[in-house]
């Protein structure tokens, strides 16, 4: 039970550091974002463009397209998705009182995937009139609906007389996740070659499909969810003492849980919908921050948003440069980087798993 | 005043409490005693709203079922029989959670004061999960104390609900904790404590309720309730209640257990 992960970090110094970390992480995010804007398959140079913008010179057609229609929406989407995944992870872990909980675990990810896969495989069966109107939004919309449906179902299964049992919810999440995976399996079995390629690319996760249209659709959900999440900090701290004690110290636990669940559903659903299966951000980022700056959710949630965004942008940069001019699906990068870090965390602090 | 009327609790298909009516007065320490599994914790949990129950509980005249969590938190704090902490919070942070806004400004002093009060002065920066069992329990008590630090505010008593506050404490700290409970009551607050040590109960309680198999066997002053007949029946073994020389402190010994 004991977590002797960081005996060197004295808690009070830690809390201080957590507050300073807001600034540092914000700075890191800005730097990483600027780097991300300068890197890409085309040789448009950001400093040059910035200079032109400042001096009022007109941009060439290529420059404006690359910067404003490709790199900027991609950056914005990376920030949104990274922050959404990391904060959803932190909220979920606080809610389940378990540092290994993750939206993926309670089936939100599986539900979203099922939605997306349904859209990819059965989308062509839609009447042309409808398909034309929804167009590129079909996969995101379906993924989002899948996430919502799985959360709603999960909630119905695990809530009785207004009380949500976290244990039931975890187990139900695993069961529902397995069901969604099985249904996805059937669809994959039915898919043709082109659909299979689309599926693979989507399920590995990618930011390459970023566009202002997708962003306009997902950003409000994600940003709204994140803003609400930052108000959950004190309540999640209270939950660390157990549901009963959280109620005794004055939190409306049921409402807290409802809001946390809906927040996570919105943020994760939207993130998975636009970017596919990007793993490990939700579990690694809060872990690292807890080790470095302590478990206080009031600071952890904000820091997780900033660090999650930065890390995802970094992963995206790597994904774009290692096999340039082609690019890797970003989910592969986060897994290659995230999984070893995750294992290292587990080895370093076995205590966190034994609770 | 705290009144619990006709409390029935079903756990699964089994009725664990069979209609218990119970009262506790502010200004006094009320002990709940009884054998393992008799329903003491269940009664406490019903009175603090942790589990569904039939019956009514009123605190200072108000039905607790209609009160908001934060209204209740302002007048009563609860020490559970066992608590586990997720995540490596410091002792100071844990105790600070008793303050509803969390650790802030001048109230940090209160955390230190409360920790010193339970014999954990200087422990604030340590990791809670690295404390010993007894130290953790006292840290939890400090958290409970800061939540309702002033026993009586404008004539409204505040309440401590303690489930086995001295379990796993050494004898000196048992006395420390019971002294805290008594002084809280003497200043106008109400204290309800589930106890196993009958001698400590006799020493500190103003009122004793004996629970057995989900029934209230007796409630009243220690002199009236701690008797051979009641205790032997409750615990199912021969117990001898003795009286020390003046001031007539009661003490309980097993009777003929080793004969
Ligand atoms: N979650 C539960 N599920 C099933 N039965 C329970 C549960 N909690 C308590 N019980 C049963 O209710 C009865 C009363 O339990 P309770 O915890 O109130 O006992 P207690 O008097 O506090 O005992 P102890 O002195 O051991 O703390 C016991 O028979 C116990 O088995
Ligand atoms: Mg008990």
């Amino acid at each position: 039970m004991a977590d002797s992960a960081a005996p060197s970090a004295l808690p009070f110094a830690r809390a201080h550091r957590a507050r300073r970390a807001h600034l540092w992480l914000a700075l890191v995010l800005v730097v990483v974002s600027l780097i991300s804007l300068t890197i890409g398959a085309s040789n448009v140079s950001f400093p040059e463009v910035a200079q032109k913008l400042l001096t009022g010179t007109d941009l060439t057609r290529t420059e404006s397209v690359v910067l404003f229609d490709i790199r900027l929406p991609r950056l914005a989407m990376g920030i949104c998705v990274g922050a959404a995944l990391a904060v959803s992870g932190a909220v979920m872990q606080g809610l389940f009182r378990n540092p290994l909980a993750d939206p993926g675990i309670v089936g939100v990810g599986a539900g979203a995937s099922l939605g997306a896969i349904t859209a990819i495989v059965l989308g062509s069966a839609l009447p042309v009139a409808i398909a034309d109107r929804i167009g590129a939004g079909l996969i995101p919309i379906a993924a989002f609906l899948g996430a919502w449906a799985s959360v709603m179902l999960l909630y119905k299964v695990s809530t009785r007389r207004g009380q949500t049992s976290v244990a039931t919810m975890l187990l139900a999440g695993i069961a529902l996740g397995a069901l969604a995976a099985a249904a996805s399996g059937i669809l994959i079995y039915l898919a043709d070659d082109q659909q299979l390629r689309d599926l693979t690319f989507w399920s590995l996760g990618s930011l390459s499909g970023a566009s202002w249209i997708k962003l306009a659709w997902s950003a409000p959900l994600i940003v709204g969810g994140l803003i609400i999440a930052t108000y959950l900090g004190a309540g999640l701290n209270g939950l660390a003492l157990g549901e009963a004690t959280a109620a005794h110290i004055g939190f409306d636990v049921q409402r807290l849980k409802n809001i946390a669940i809906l927040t996570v559903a919105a943020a994760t659903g939207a993130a998975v919908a636009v970017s596919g299966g990007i793993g490990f951000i939700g579990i690694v980022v809060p872990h690292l921050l807890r080790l470095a700056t302590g478990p206080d959710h009031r600071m952890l949630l904000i820091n997780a948003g900033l660090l999650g965004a930065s890390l995802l942008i970094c992963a995206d940069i790597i994904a774009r440069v290692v096999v340039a001019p082609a690019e890797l699906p970003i989910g592969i990068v986060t897994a290659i980087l995230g999984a070893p870090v995750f294992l290292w965390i587990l080895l370093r602090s076995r205590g966190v798993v034994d609770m | 005043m705290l009144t619990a009327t006709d409390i029935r609790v079903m756990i699964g298909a089994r009725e664990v409490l069979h209609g218990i009516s119970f009262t506790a007065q502010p200004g006094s320490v009320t002990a709940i005693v009884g054998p393992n599994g008799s329903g003491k914790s269940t009664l406490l949990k019903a009175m603090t709203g942790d589990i569904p129950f039939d019956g009514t509980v009123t605190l200072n005249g108000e039905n607790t079922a209609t009160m908001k969590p934060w209204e209740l938190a302002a007048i009563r704090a609860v020490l559970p029989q066992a608590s586990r902490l997720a995540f490596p919070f410091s002792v100071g942070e844990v105790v600070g959670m008793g303050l509803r806004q969390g650790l802030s400004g001048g109230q940090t002093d209160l955390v230190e004061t409360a920790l010193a009060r339970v014999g954990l002065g200087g422990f604030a920066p340590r990791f809670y999960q690295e404390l010993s069992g007894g130290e953790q329990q006292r840290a939890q008590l400090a958290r409970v104390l800061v939540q309702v630090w002033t026993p009586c505010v404008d004539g409204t008593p505040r309440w401590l609900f303690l489930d086995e506050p001295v379990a796993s404490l050494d004898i000196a700290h048992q006395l420390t904790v019971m002294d805290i409970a008594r002084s809280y009551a003497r200043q106008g607050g109400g204290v309800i404590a589930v106890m196993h040590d009958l001698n400590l109960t006799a020493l500190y309680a103003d009122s004793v309720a004996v629970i057995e198999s989900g029934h209230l066997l007796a409630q009243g002053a220690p002199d009236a309730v701690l008797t051979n007949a009641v205790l032997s029946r409750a615990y199912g073994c021969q117990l001898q209640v003795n009286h020390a020389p003046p001031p007539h402190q009661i003490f309980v010994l097993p009777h003929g257990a080793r004969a």
Side-chain angles (χ1 to χ4, degrees), chain A residues 258-323:
Chain A
N258 287 346
I259 296 175
I261 289 168
L262 292 178
T263 303
V264 168
T268 314
V272 171
V274 293
S275 66
I278 296 177
F280 289 99
I281 296 276
I283 223 159
V284 165
V285 167
H287 256 300
L288 288 176
L289 286 171
R290 254 182 240 114
L291 288 179
T293 58
D296 189 335
H297 290 90
R298 287 169 300 173
M299 286 168 272
L300 179 69
L301 291 169
I302 295 171
N303 286 341
L306 294 169
L307 184 59
S310 299
L311 279 187
L312 198 68
I313 304 291
C314 283
D316 187 46
I317 292 174
I318 294 172
R320 281 188 284 159
V321 297
V322 284
V323 291

Coordinates of all heavy atoms in Angstrom, one line a residue, chain A residues 258-323:
Chain A
N258 N -20.6 12.2 -10.9 CA -21.3 12.4 -12.2 C -20.5 13.4 -13.1 O -20.3 13.1 -14.3 CB -22.7 13.0 -11.9 CG -23.6 12.0 -11.3 OD1 -23.3 10.8 -11.4 ND2 -24.7 12.5 -10.8
I259 N -20.1 14.5 -12.5 CA -19.4 15.5 -13.3 C -18.1 14.9 -13.8 O -17.8 15.1 -15.0 CB -19.2 16.8 -12.5 CG1 -20.5 17.4 -12.1 CG2 -18.3 17.8 -13.3 CD1 -20.4 18.6 -11.2
A260 N -17.4 14.2 -13.0 CA -16.1 13.6 -13.4 C -16.3 12.7 -14.6 O -15.6 12.7 -15.6 CB -15.4 12.9 -12.3
I261 N -17.3 11.9 -14.5 CA -17.6 10.9 -15.6 C -18.0 11.6 -16.9 O -17.4 11.2 -17.9 CB -18.7 9.9 -15.1 CG1 -18.2 9.0 -14.0 CG2 -19.2 9.1 -16.3 CD1 -19.3 8.2 -13.3
L262 N -18.9 12.5 -16.8 CA -19.3 13.2 -18.0 C -18.1 14.0 -18.6 O -18.0 14.0 -19.9 CB -20.4 14.2 -17.7 CG -21.7 13.4 -17.3 CD1 -22.8 14.4 -17.0 CD2 -22.2 12.5 -18.4
T263 N -17.3 14.6 -17.8 CA -16.2 15.4 -18.3 C -15.2 14.4 -19.0 O -14.8 14.8 -20.2 CB -15.4 15.9 -17.1 OG1 -16.3 16.8 -16.3 CG2 -14.2 16.8 -17.5
V264 N -14.9 13.3 -18.4 CA -14.0 12.4 -19.1 C -14.6 11.9 -20.4 O -13.9 11.7 -21.4 CB -13.7 11.2 -18.1 CG1 -13.0 10.1 -18.9 CG2 -12.8 11.7 -17.0
A265 N -15.9 11.6 -20.4 CA -16.6 11.1 -21.6 C -16.5 12.1 -22.7 O -16.1 11.7 -23.8 CB -18.0 10.7 -21.3
A266 N -16.7 13.3 -22.4 CA -16.7 14.4 -23.4 C -15.3 14.5 -23.9 O -15.0 14.5 -25.2 CB -17.2 15.7 -22.8
A267 N -14.3 14.7 -23.0 CA -12.9 15.0 -23.5 C -12.3 13.8 -24.2 O -11.8 13.9 -25.3 CB -12.1 15.4 -22.3
T268 N -12.5 12.6 -23.6 CA -11.9 11.4 -24.3 C -12.6 11.1 -25.6 O -12.0 10.8 -26.6 CB -12.0 10.2 -23.4 OG1 -11.6 10.5 -22.1 CG2 -11.1 9.0 -23.9
G269 N -13.9 11.1 -25.5 CA -14.7 10.8 -26.7 C -14.3 11.7 -27.9 O -14.0 11.2 -29.0
A270 N -14.2 13.0 -27.6 CA -13.8 13.9 -28.7 C -12.4 13.7 -29.1 O -12.1 13.7 -30.3 CB -14.0 15.4 -28.2
A271 N -11.5 13.4 -28.2 CA -10.1 13.2 -28.5 C -9.9 12.0 -29.4 O -9.3 12.0 -30.4 CB -9.2 13.2 -27.3
V272 N -10.5 10.9 -28.9 CA -10.4 9.6 -29.6 C -11.0 9.8 -31.0 O -10.4 9.3 -32.0 CB -11.0 8.4 -28.9 CG1 -11.1 7.2 -29.7 CG2 -10.2 8.1 -27.6
A273 N -12.1 10.5 -31.1 CA -12.8 10.6 -32.3 C -11.9 11.3 -33.4 O -11.8 10.9 -34.5 CB -14.1 11.4 -32.2
V274 N -11.2 12.4 -33.0 CA -10.4 13.1 -34.0 C -9.1 12.5 -34.2 O -8.4 12.7 -35.3 CB -10.3 14.6 -33.7 CG1 -11.6 15.3 -33.8 CG2 -9.6 14.8 -32.3
S275 N -8.5 11.7 -33.3 CA -7.1 11.3 -33.4 C -6.9 9.8 -33.3 O -5.8 9.4 -33.4 CB -6.3 12.0 -32.4 OG -6.7 11.6 -31.1
G276 N -8.0 9.0 -33.1 CA -7.8 7.6 -33.1 C -7.2 7.1 -31.7 O -7.3 7.9 -30.7
G277 N -6.6 6.0 -31.7 CA -6.1 5.4 -30.4 C -4.7 5.9 -30.1 O -3.8 5.3 -30.5
I278 N -4.6 7.0 -29.3 CA -3.3 7.4 -28.9 C -3.2 7.0 -27.4 O -3.9 7.5 -26.5 CB -3.2 8.9 -29.0 CG1 -3.2 9.3 -30.5 CG2 -1.9 9.4 -28.4 CD1 -3.2 10.8 -30.7
G279 N -2.3 6.1 -27.1 CA -2.2 5.5 -25.8 C -1.2 6.1 -24.9 O -0.3 6.9 -25.4
F280 N -1.2 5.8 -23.7 CA -0.1 6.1 -22.7 C -0.1 7.5 -22.2 O 0.5 7.7 -21.1 CB 1.3 5.6 -23.2 CG 1.4 4.2 -23.2 CD1 1.2 3.5 -24.4 CD2 1.6 3.4 -22.1 CE1 1.3 2.1 -24.5 CE2 1.7 2.1 -22.1 CZ 1.5 1.4 -23.3
I281 N -0.6 8.5 -22.9 CA -0.5 9.9 -22.4 C -1.3 9.9 -21.1 O -0.8 10.5 -20.1 CB -1.1 10.8 -23.5 CG1 -0.2 10.8 -24.7 CG2 -1.2 12.2 -22.9 CD1 1.0 11.7 -24.7
G282 N -2.5 9.3 -21.1 CA -3.4 9.4 -19.9 C -2.8 8.8 -18.7 O -3.3 9.1 -17.6
I283 N -1.9 7.9 -18.9 CA -1.4 7.1 -17.7 C 0.0 7.6 -17.3 O 0.3 7.8 -16.1 CB -1.5 5.6 -18.0 CG1 -2.0 4.9 -16.7 CG2 -0.2 5.0 -18.4 CD1 -2.6 3.6 -17.0
V284 N 0.8 7.9 -18.3 CA 2.2 8.3 -18.0 C 2.3 9.7 -17.4 O 3.0 10.0 -16.5 CB 3.1 8.2 -19.3 CG1 4.4 8.9 -19.1 CG2 3.3 6.7 -19.5
V285 N 1.5 10.7 -18.1 CA 1.7 12.1 -17.7 C 1.3 12.3 -16.2 O 2.1 12.9 -15.4 CB 0.8 13.0 -18.6 CG1 0.7 14.4 -18.0 CG2 1.5 13.0 -20.0
P286 N 0.1 11.8 -15.7 CA -0.2 12.1 -14.3 C 0.8 11.4 -13.4 O 1.1 11.9 -12.3 CB -1.6 11.5 -14.2 CG -2.2 11.5 -15.5 CD -1.0 11.2 -16.5
H287 N 1.3 10.2 -13.8 CA 2.3 9.5 -13.0 C 3.5 10.3 -12.8 O 4.0 10.5 -11.7 CB 2.7 8.2 -13.7 CG 2.1 6.9 -13.2 ND1 2.3 6.6 -11.9 CD2 1.3 6.0 -13.7 CE1 1.6 5.4 -11.6 NE2 1.0 5.1 -12.7
L288 N 4.1 10.8 -13.9 CA 5.3 11.6 -13.8 C 5.1 12.8 -12.9 O 5.9 13.1 -12.1 CB 5.7 12.0 -15.2 CG 6.3 10.9 -16.1 CD1 6.6 11.5 -17.5 CD2 7.6 10.3 -15.5
L289 N 4.0 13.4 -13.1 CA 3.7 14.6 -12.3 C 3.5 14.3 -10.9 O 4.0 15.1 -10.0 CB 2.5 15.4 -12.9 CG 2.7 16.1 -14.2 CD1 1.4 16.6 -14.8 CD2 3.7 17.2 -14.0
R290 N 2.9 13.2 -10.6 CA 2.7 12.9 -9.2 C 4.1 12.6 -8.5 O 4.3 13.0 -7.4 CB 1.8 11.6 -9.0 CG 0.5 12.0 -8.5 CD -0.4 10.7 -8.3 NE -1.5 10.8 -9.2 CZ -1.8 10.0 -10.2 NH1 -0.9 9.1 -10.5 NH2 -2.9 10.2 -10.9
L291 N 5.0 12.0 -9.2 CA 6.3 11.7 -8.7 C 7.0 13.1 -8.5 O 7.7 13.3 -7.5 CB 7.1 10.8 -9.7 CG 6.7 9.4 -9.7 CD1 7.6 8.7 -10.7 CD2 6.8 8.7 -8.4
A292 N 6.9 14.0 -9.4 CA 7.7 15.2 -9.4 C 7.1 16.2 -8.5 O 7.8 16.9 -7.7 CB 7.8 15.8 -10.8
T293 N 5.8 16.4 -8.5 CA 5.2 17.5 -7.8 C 4.1 17.1 -6.8 O 3.4 18.0 -6.3 CB 4.7 18.6 -8.8 OG1 3.7 17.9 -9.6 CG2 5.8 19.1 -9.6
G294 N 3.9 15.8 -6.6 CA 2.9 15.4 -5.6 C 1.5 15.2 -6.2 O 1.2 15.5 -7.3
P295 N 0.6 14.6 -5.4 CA -0.7 14.1 -5.9 C -1.8 15.1 -5.8 O -2.9 14.8 -6.1 CB -1.0 12.9 -4.9 CG -0.3 13.3 -3.6 CD 0.9 14.1 -4.0
D296 N -1.5 16.4 -5.3 CA -2.6 17.3 -5.1 C -3.3 17.6 -6.5 O -2.7 18.3 -7.3 CB -2.1 18.6 -4.5 CG -3.2 19.6 -4.1 OD1 -4.3 19.5 -4.7 OD2 -2.9 20.4 -3.2
H297 N -4.5 17.2 -6.6 CA -5.2 17.3 -7.9 C -5.5 18.7 -8.3 O -5.6 19.0 -9.5 CB -6.6 16.6 -7.9 CG -6.4 15.1 -7.8 ND1 -6.3 14.4 -6.7 CD2 -6.3 14.2 -8.8 CE1 -6.2 13.1 -6.9 NE2 -6.1 12.9 -8.2
R298 N -5.5 19.7 -7.3 CA -5.8 21.0 -7.7 C -4.7 21.6 -8.6 O -4.9 22.4 -9.5 CB -5.9 21.9 -6.4 CG -7.2 21.7 -5.7 CD -7.1 22.3 -4.3 NE -6.0 21.8 -3.5 CZ -5.7 22.3 -2.4 NH1 -6.3 23.3 -1.9 NH2 -4.7 21.8 -1.7
M299 N -3.5 21.0 -8.4 CA -2.4 21.5 -9.3 C -2.1 20.4 -10.4 O -1.7 20.7 -11.5 CB -1.1 21.7 -8.5 CG -1.3 23.1 -7.7 SD -0.1 23.3 -6.5 CE -0.8 22.6 -5.0
L300 N -2.3 19.2 -10.0 CA -2.0 18.1 -10.9 C -2.8 18.2 -12.2 O -2.3 18.0 -13.3 CB -2.3 16.7 -10.2 CG -2.1 15.5 -11.1 CD1 -0.6 15.3 -11.3 CD2 -2.7 14.3 -10.4
L301 N -4.1 18.6 -12.1 CA -4.9 18.6 -13.3 C -4.4 19.6 -14.3 O -4.4 19.3 -15.5 CB -6.4 18.8 -12.9 CG -7.0 17.7 -12.2 CD1 -8.4 18.1 -11.6 CD2 -7.2 16.5 -13.1
I302 N -4.1 20.8 -13.8 CA -3.6 21.8 -14.7 C -2.3 21.4 -15.4 O -2.0 21.5 -16.6 CB -3.5 23.2 -14.0 CG1 -4.9 23.6 -13.5 CG2 -2.8 24.2 -14.9 CD1 -4.9 24.8 -12.6
N303 N -1.4 20.9 -14.5 CA 0.0 20.5 -15.0 C -0.2 19.4 -16.0 O 0.6 19.3 -17.0 CB 0.8 20.1 -13.8 CG 1.4 21.3 -13.0 OD1 1.4 22.4 -13.5 ND2 1.8 21.0 -11.8
A304 N -1.1 18.5 -15.7 CA -1.3 17.3 -16.6 C -1.7 17.8 -18.0 O -1.3 17.4 -19.0 CB -2.3 16.4 -16.1
G305 N -2.6 18.8 -18.0 CA -3.1 19.4 -19.3 C -1.9 20.0 -20.1 O -1.7 19.7 -21.3
L306 N -1.1 20.7 -19.4 CA 0.1 21.4 -20.1 C 1.1 20.3 -20.5 O 1.5 20.4 -21.7 CB 0.7 22.4 -19.1 CG -0.1 23.6 -18.7 CD1 0.5 24.4 -17.6 CD2 -0.3 24.5 -19.9
L307 N 1.4 19.4 -19.7 CA 2.5 18.4 -20.0 C 1.9 17.5 -21.1 O 2.7 17.1 -22.0 CB 2.9 17.6 -18.8 CG 4.0 16.6 -19.0 CD1 5.3 17.3 -19.6 CD2 4.4 15.9 -17.7
G308 N 0.7 17.1 -21.0 CA 0.1 16.2 -22.0 C 0.1 16.8 -23.3 O 0.5 16.2 -24.3
A309 N -0.2 18.1 -23.4 CA -0.2 18.8 -24.7 C 1.2 18.8 -25.2 O 1.4 18.5 -26.4 CB -0.8 20.2 -24.5
S310 N 2.2 19.2 -24.4 CA 3.6 19.3 -24.8 C 4.1 17.9 -25.3 O 4.7 17.8 -26.4 CB 4.5 19.7 -23.7 OG 4.1 21.0 -23.3
L311 N 3.8 16.9 -24.6 CA 4.3 15.6 -25.0 C 3.7 15.1 -26.3 O 4.4 14.5 -27.1 CB 4.0 14.5 -23.9 CG 4.9 14.5 -22.7 CD1 4.6 13.4 -21.7 CD2 6.4 14.5 -23.2
L312 N 2.4 15.4 -26.5 CA 1.8 14.9 -27.7 C 2.4 15.7 -28.9 O 2.6 15.1 -30.0 CB 0.3 15.0 -27.6 CG -0.4 14.2 -28.7 CD1 -0.2 12.7 -28.4 CD2 -1.9 14.5 -28.8
I313 N 2.6 17.0 -28.7 CA 3.2 17.7 -29.8 C 4.6 17.2 -30.1 O 5.0 17.0 -31.3 CB 3.4 19.2 -29.4 CG1 2.0 19.8 -29.0 CG2 4.0 20.0 -30.5 CD1 1.1 20.0 -30.1
C314 N 5.4 16.9 -29.0 CA 6.7 16.3 -29.2 C 6.6 15.0 -30.0 O 7.3 14.8 -31.0 CB 7.4 16.0 -27.9 SG 8.0 17.4 -27.1
A315 N 5.6 14.1 -29.6 CA 5.5 12.8 -30.3 C 5.1 13.1 -31.7 O 5.6 12.4 -32.6 CB 4.4 12.0 -29.6
D316 N 4.3 14.1 -32.0 CA 3.9 14.4 -33.3 C 5.1 14.9 -34.2 O 5.2 14.5 -35.3 CB 2.8 15.5 -33.3 CG 2.2 15.7 -34.7 OD1 1.9 14.7 -35.4 OD2 2.0 16.8 -35.1
I317 N 5.9 15.7 -33.5 CA 7.1 16.1 -34.2 C 8.0 14.9 -34.6 O 8.4 14.8 -35.8 CB 8.0 17.1 -33.4 CG1 7.2 18.4 -33.2 CG2 9.3 17.4 -34.0 CD1 7.9 19.4 -32.2
I318 N 8.2 14.0 -33.7 CA 9.0 12.8 -33.9 C 8.3 12.0 -35.1 O 9.0 11.6 -36.0 CB 9.1 12.0 -32.7 CG1 9.9 12.7 -31.6 CG2 9.8 10.6 -33.0 CD1 10.0 12.1 -30.3
A319 N 7.0 11.9 -35.0 CA 6.3 11.1 -36.0 C 6.5 11.7 -37.4 O 6.5 11.0 -38.4 CB 4.8 11.0 -35.6
R320 N 6.7 13.0 -37.4 CA 6.8 13.6 -38.7 C 8.2 13.6 -39.3 O 8.4 13.7 -40.5 CB 6.3 15.1 -38.7 CG 4.8 15.2 -38.7 CD 4.3 16.6 -38.8 NE 4.5 17.3 -37.6 CZ 4.5 18.6 -37.5 NH1 4.5 19.4 -38.6 NH2 4.6 19.2 -36.3
V321 N 9.2 13.6 -38.4 CA 10.6 13.7 -38.9 C 11.3 12.4 -39.1 O 12.1 12.3 -40.0 CB 11.5 14.6 -38.0 CG1 11.0 16.0 -38.0 CG2 11.6 14.1 -36.6
V322 N 11.0 11.3 -38.3 CA 11.8 10.1 -38.4 C 11.8 9.4 -39.7 O 12.8 8.9 -40.2 CB 11.6 9.1 -37.3 CG1 12.2 9.5 -36.0 CG2 10.1 8.8 -37.2
V323 N 10.6 9.5 -40.4 CA 10.5 8.8 -41.7 C 10.2 9.8 -42.8 O 9.5 9.4 -43.7 CB 9.5 7.6 -41.7 CG1 10.1 6.5 -40.8 CG2 8.2 8.0 -41.2

